[in-house]
Every structure is written in C-alpha cells, then in structure tokens.
Amino acid sequence: MSETKRIAIIGSPNSGKSLLFNRITGLHHRAANFPGITVDIKSGLVTDNPHLEMLDFPGVYSLHTISAEEQVAVDAFFKGLKEGNLEAIICLLDSTRLEKGLVFALQIIEACKKFNKPLIIAANMADVLTDTDLAIDTEGLSAQLGVPVLLVSAKTGKGVDTLIAETEKVAGSAAVFTPAAHTEGGNQVIARDAAGERNYSHSLAAQFGPKGDILLDSQTRLDRFFLHSWTGGVVFLIIMYLLFQSIFTWAAPVMDAVEVMLQSIASWLLPLLPSGIIQDFVQDALFGGIGAFLVFVPQIFVLTLVVGILEDSGYLARAATICHKPLRFFGLTGKSFIPMLSGVACAIPGIYAARTIDSPKKRWLTYLAIPLMPCSARLPVYTLLIAAFIPANRALGGLVGWQGLAMFAVYLFGIVCGLLITSFVSRSNKNLRRDLPFILEMPPYRLPLWKPLLRNSVDRSVYFVQKAGSIIFMVTVVVWVLGYFPNGGESLDNSFLGYMGRIIAPVFEPFGLDWRYGVAILTSFLAREVFVGTLGT
C-alpha cells in the first residue's frame, strides 16, 4: 500500500480555497465570501485518489504577517516545509484580481524554492472569465514564473481534474523551477522586497492577465449605494430588521408543520403504550419536554440561512465597514461585527472568528462582547415568551409584525448591553496595546450558491439538536421524575418538584411568576434552551 501524500492548498482570503477543497475532497467545510472564515487547518482525502490528502490552510495575504491568525497559518506552512510533511503546494489565486494574487504567489515560489518543494499555481474564477469573454495567458505566465499555472473554477469544477492529475504527477518528486529572464531596461527584475514584488506582479498582470478590471464598474456602483453615509446605514438597519422578521415569518409554516407532526406521532404512539408510568413518561417528558424544543429548530435553520446569504453575497464585509465608526466608539472595530453576528448563532464559532482581528486590544474586547450576544440557544426561550405575551398582529399593511419587532428589540437590547460593557472596559484600561489600523478587503459581490447554503444550514441545525438535545433530555427526565413522584403524577403541587418550587417561590413572586417558572429559570442555568423543555414538562 502506497503512503499517503499531503498537499497544501494555500492562498489569500476569499480566493476560493475552501470551495476548491470541498470539491476535491467531497467534504462540506464552510466557505464564505468574507476574509478569514477558515480559522484552522482542515484535511481530507481526494475523492478519486485516497493516497492524496489535501490540507486547507487559513487564508493569508502575505508570508510577512501582521495578525496572530495569519501567523498561525504561516508557521504551520513553514513547519510542513521544513519537516518534509508536505509533498506539494497548490497556491490558489483569484484570476479576476491577478496582480494582488501574484504578490502572494511570488512569496510562495521563493519559499518552495528554498525547501525544494514542487508548486502548482491554480488561477481560480475561470467561470467569471468565461462569462465576461476574458482570458489570462496561463502558458506565458507559467513560462515566466517557472511553475505550472492552471486555470480552474472551484465553483463549476472546470480544470479541477487537470489540477488533481498535475498534483499526482509532481507530488513527492523533486521541484523544478525554470523561470524565464524578465528584464526591464536591460536589468533583471528580482522580487526580493515588497516594492519589487508589487512592481513585478503589476508587470506580470499587465502582460498575461485579463485586460481591465472585470468587477470594478459594477462593484463601484453598488458600493456607492451600500457604503454611502446615509443610504448605507438605512439599508443596514433594514437588512438587520428583516433578518429577525424572517425568523418568525419564514419559519412559522415549518414550525406549525413540526408541531402537527409531533402531535400526530403522539396520538398514534400513546394508545399503543401500556397506561401508567411508561405512557406518562413518553407523553410528558418526551413529547411535552423535548417536543416543545424541537418546534423551534426551524428558526435556527432560518437564522443560519439568512446569515449565510449575507456572507456569500459579499455584503457582510460592507456591513463591517459601516459598523466601524459606531463600534469604534465602544472600543471595538468594524471587524468585530462579523464575530458578534456569528455569536448571534452560537458564541463558540463567534469567538473563533474573532481570531482574525488584527488589533490585540480589540480582539480581546470582542471576546468579551460575544458571550453577551443573544445566541441561538436563547432563541427558543425568546420565541416562547414573545408568542405568549406579544399578539401576532401586524401593522403598515402587514409589513411589520409586532412579534418580529419584539424579537428585534430583544436582540438589540442584548447587543447594546455588550457594547456598553466593552466601552466601559476599554475606557478604564489605558495599558492595552496600541491599535492597528482598520484595513478590510472588499470581496466582490456574488450570487450565493444555494446548495452549500442549504446544506450548511441543515448541518448547523442538526448539530444544534444533537448538542442541545442531549442536555435537554437529561434535564427533562430529572424534572419529570421530580414532578411524577412520590404520588405517581396525580398532583404536581404534591410532588418533589412542587415542594422544591414552593421553597424558591418567594424569590420569583415579586416578578409575577409562580414556582413553575422559577424551576424553569433555575434549570436554564445548565443550558438556556432547557427553559422551554422544562416548561413543556
């Protein structure tokens, strides 16, 4: 059996690395149209060749790093080169932004020369070039750089088979670099420093790349609207409001369907069970407790889907730019917006995403703010209480729903509280490190790919059910047992749970809550979503 060979895929953020990695390996790692989504090194075997293992490195702009996130990727890359763990390198660049990608590619070429590792440059976005009737001279560029240059499309799969075949050919073999002599004014150009890299990349892009900026005109027109000081802010607020309105409006039919399905299953199953403790357990603990939680899973799906649409379309980078000025007042940066919005879905990936923030001060302040965001674990709780206390009425011809407005207000309140705390901490500590400037690449506007979006939303929903469901099940069983015994479920007031509830009842009476809500609140300290299951039980 031949030994598995490891191939590194490295490139700048938003070049399509994760999409190419998924296509080659058949895996479903998250890809998004925003810099810094990949926060660790992912691996997977090539679908048609299990002896090739692909490594998806975090996106970096340069081997000369300025952020901790880039340093992690660069250190891992050089470690693989030094220890001989990498058999070949695929450097992916965006063919629609060839000059920027070549600056990084030149650095990779020098690193591979130093450690004698074979290199392939993959120019992505072939589909965009085809749609715009443009092309790049890959043969001329390959001859000039001395390494293979292949045109691929991670989106459509064009050229990917050729890339895999070329990778199989060079993996583990001795590197060959045969660059043509490139001269200007009789002097050979050597890209030894940043200025030399930029000048050389500019000349290569002008000679071999597409003529003209493919996306400049349309992107500039859109940015004039979305980044305008007035229209940009209004559009941002509208989009954020629609995000929370959609949690109710889009998810409502599916929630109703889930509820009907659970009721149908219960009505079919319960008569088949022997009466007594088993039937009571299934009815009250399973369908009453866990079933009450499952009804709200469609809202998790909708939240993940809408955030994914904003990511893939390229709008989130614009939203971060719009948020930079107001967030700076609270000691944060525009780059804090993406991790904080991710924290609305779940705090853990939000904290991982905050690793891409350059400034150590603002990174730590973002870490502080993210757990205060209203995460999806609290969404079923908010939904239950809003549905109970806020009427499902509409205004302005049905455009505004009071329940959606209440959800927006609840989330806004949590976000404001987080900002106030970071503002207090940033102003009270004068010894934090000096900030780095706010620099953010604007990705091109693109239509989202619905298949990966839907798949990611389903995966996130299933993951949420698996992780939260186990905790809810255990707590629900404990609550049911305490409420069922010692009188066999005849009277909840005379059960163990009733005795415990009356002990803590005086604490919650000033809020107008009886002991049942008090027990639900206490169990929610284990996990927020347990509140719904406890009340259901």
Side-chain angles (χ1 to χ4, degrees):
M1 181 179 294
S2 59
E3 184 180 355
T4 301
K5 298 177 181 179
R6 309 181 83 185
I7 314 298
I9 302 178
I10 193 166
S12 60
N14 206 50
S15 60
K17 288 186 305 79
S18 296
L19 192 59
L20 178 64
F21 173 83
N22 290 340
R23 181 170 289 278
I24 291 176
T25 62
L27 300 177
H28 302 149
H29 291 305
R30 182 75 176 103
N33 192 16
F34 184 81
I37 277 295
T38 307
V39 293
D40 55 5
I41 299 173
K42 300 179 177 67
S43 65
L45 298 177
V46 175
T47 303
D48 298 325
N49 187 349
H51 301 301
L52 284 184
E53 181 183 10
M54 292 291 171
L55 303 180
D56 179 20
F57 278 74
V60 293
Y61 292 104
S62 170
L63 295 183
H64 313 297
T65 62
I66 62 173
S67 70
E69 174 68 14
E70 287 185 327
Q71 191 63 51
V72 170
V74 172
D75 288 345
F77 175 67
F78 276 108
K79 181 179 180 181
L81 293 178
K82 292 177 182 178
E83 297 180 355
N85 296 327
L86 300 177
E87 302 295 335
I89 312 298
I90 297 176
C91 178
L92 191 68
L93 51 85
D94 186 346
S95 60
T96 65
R97 298 180 172 187
L98 191 59
E99 180 177 343
K100 179 179 71 69
L102 284 174
V103 173
F104 181 63
L106 291 175
Q107 299 175 5
I108 298 297
I109 290 174
E110 292 300 317
C112 290
K113 280 183 180 180
K114 181 178 179 180
F115 294 97
N116 195 33
K117 292 295 180 182
L119 169 67
I120 300 174
I121 294 179
N124 195 19
M125 312 296 178
D127 54 303
V128 178
L129 295 179
T130 301
D131 293 341
T132 52
D133 295 326
L134 295 173
I136 64 172
D137 183 2
T138 54
E139 293 184 1
L141 186 60
S142 175
Q144 191 67 35
L145 296 175
V147 296
V149 178
L150 303 178
L151 189 63
V152 302
S153 171
K155 180 179 179 180
T156 64
K158 178 181 179 180
V160 173
D161 291 339
T162 304
L163 175 63
I164 296 175
E166 185 68 21
T167 303
E168 294 173 345
K169 178 181 176 182
V170 303
S173 62
V176 179
F177 296 90
T178 56
H182 176 72
T183 60
E184 287 184 0
N187 298 319
Q188 187 173 7
V189 176
I190 303 176
R192 297 288 186 184
D193 53 21
E197 290 170 354
R198 288 194 299 270
N199 292 335
Y200 192 24
S201 299
H202 178 75
S203 63
L204 289 176
Q207 183 176 359
F208 302 107
K211 307 308 177 185
D213 194 318
I214 301 171
L215 305 170
L216 180 61
D217 293 338
S218 59
Q219 182 165 312
T220 300
R221 288 194 298 269
L222 290 172
D223 280 343
R224 285 173 182 168
F225 178 76
F226 285 113
L227 295 179
H228 190 272
S229 56
W230 287 102
T231 58
V234 172
V235 170
F236 172 78
L237 291 176
I238 292 174
I239 289 177
M240 291 299 104
Y241 173 72
L242 292 176
L243 169 65
F244 298 110
Q245 281 284 354
S246 65
I247 293 175
F248 272 96
T249 56
W250 293 4
V254 184
M255 293 174 65
D256 294 339
V258 172
E259 187 173 10
V260 171
M261 180 184 67
L262 291 174
Q263 291 175 350
S264 301
I265 295 175
S267 61
W268 168 78
L269 179 62
L270 291 176
L272 302 178
L273 299 175
S275 60
I277 187 172
I278 296 178
Q279 189 180 79
D280 292 342
F281 174 79
V282 173
Q283 179 177 351
D284 297 331
L286 297 185
F287 286 100
I290 298 178
F293 158 74
L294 293 177
V295 170
F296 300 103
V297 173
Q299 294 183 324
I300 308 297
F301 174 85
V302 170
L303 176 64
T304 306
L305 178 64
V306 176
V307 172
I309 292 173
L310 297 178
E311 285 180 346
D312 289 3
S313 65
Y315 179 76
L316 275 191
R318 276 77 185 177
T321 303
I322 293 172
C323 291
H324 177 63
K325 286 186 177 180
L327 287 178
R328 187 173 57 181
F329 175 80
F330 298 100
L332 299 171
T333 173
K335 291 185 178 180
S336 302
F337 170 75
I338 306 300
M340 290 170 67
L341 186 61
S342 300
V344 170
C346 181
I348 302 302
I351 290 175
Y352 269 101
R355 293 166 57 193
T356 61
I357 299 175
D358 309 287
S359 167
K361 169 186 173 181
K362 291 177 169 53
R363 190 186 318 127
W364 281 103
L365 288 173
T366 306
Y367 288 156
L368 177 64
I370 289 173
L372 299 171
M373 297 298 103
C375 68
S376 57
R378 306 173 195 180
L379 184 58
V381 181
Y382 294 155
T383 303
L384 176 66
L385 297 179
I386 289 174
F389 294 106
I390 305 298
N393 297 333
R394 293 182 175 273
L396 300 179
L399 296 177
V400 177
W402 292 117
Q403 291 183 338
L405 184 62
M407 178 69 76
F408 177 75
V410 168
Y411 271 75
L412 182 62
F413 176 77
I415 293 171
V416 169
C417 288
L419 294 177
L420 291 177
I421 291 177
T422 58
S423 177
F424 172 77
V425 173
S426 64
R427 283 168 169 75
S428 61
N429 191 336
K430 302 297 183 181
N431 297 320
L432 294 173
R433 290 180 58 180
R434 183 179 178 183
D435 294 339
L436 295 174
F438 174 70
I439 302 174
L440 182 64
E441 178 189 9
M442 291 292 104
Y445 293 98
R446 293 191 181 121
L447 292 176
L449 299 176
W450 289 103
K451 185 176 179 180
L453 272 176
L454 293 172
R455 185 170 53 212
N456 177 68
S457 299
V458 171
D459 291 343
R460 289 289 296 273
S461 301
V462 171
Y463 179 80
F464 181 77
V465 171
Q466 291 174 341
K467 293 299 181 181
S470 59
I471 299 176
I472 292 174
F473 176 75
M474 291 185 292
V475 174
T476 298
V477 170
V478 172
V479 171
W480 180 84
V481 170
L482 293 175
Y484 193 81
F485 294 100
N487 56 8
E490 293 181 2
S491 174
L492 190 62
D493 289 340
N494 297 324
S495 66
F496 293 133
L497 190 63
Y499 297 144
M500 296 170 56
R502 281 192 289 274
I503 294 175
I504 63 174
V507 177
F508 298 96
E509 284 179 356
F511 303 101
L513 303 176
D514 64 13
W515 64 269
R516 295 174 181 82
Y517 289 95
V519 171
I521 291 172
L522 289 180
T523 58
S524 70
F525 277 87
L526 294 174
R528 299 293 178 262
E529 55 271 27
V530 170
F531 178 86
V532 176
T534 304
L535 282 183
T537 304

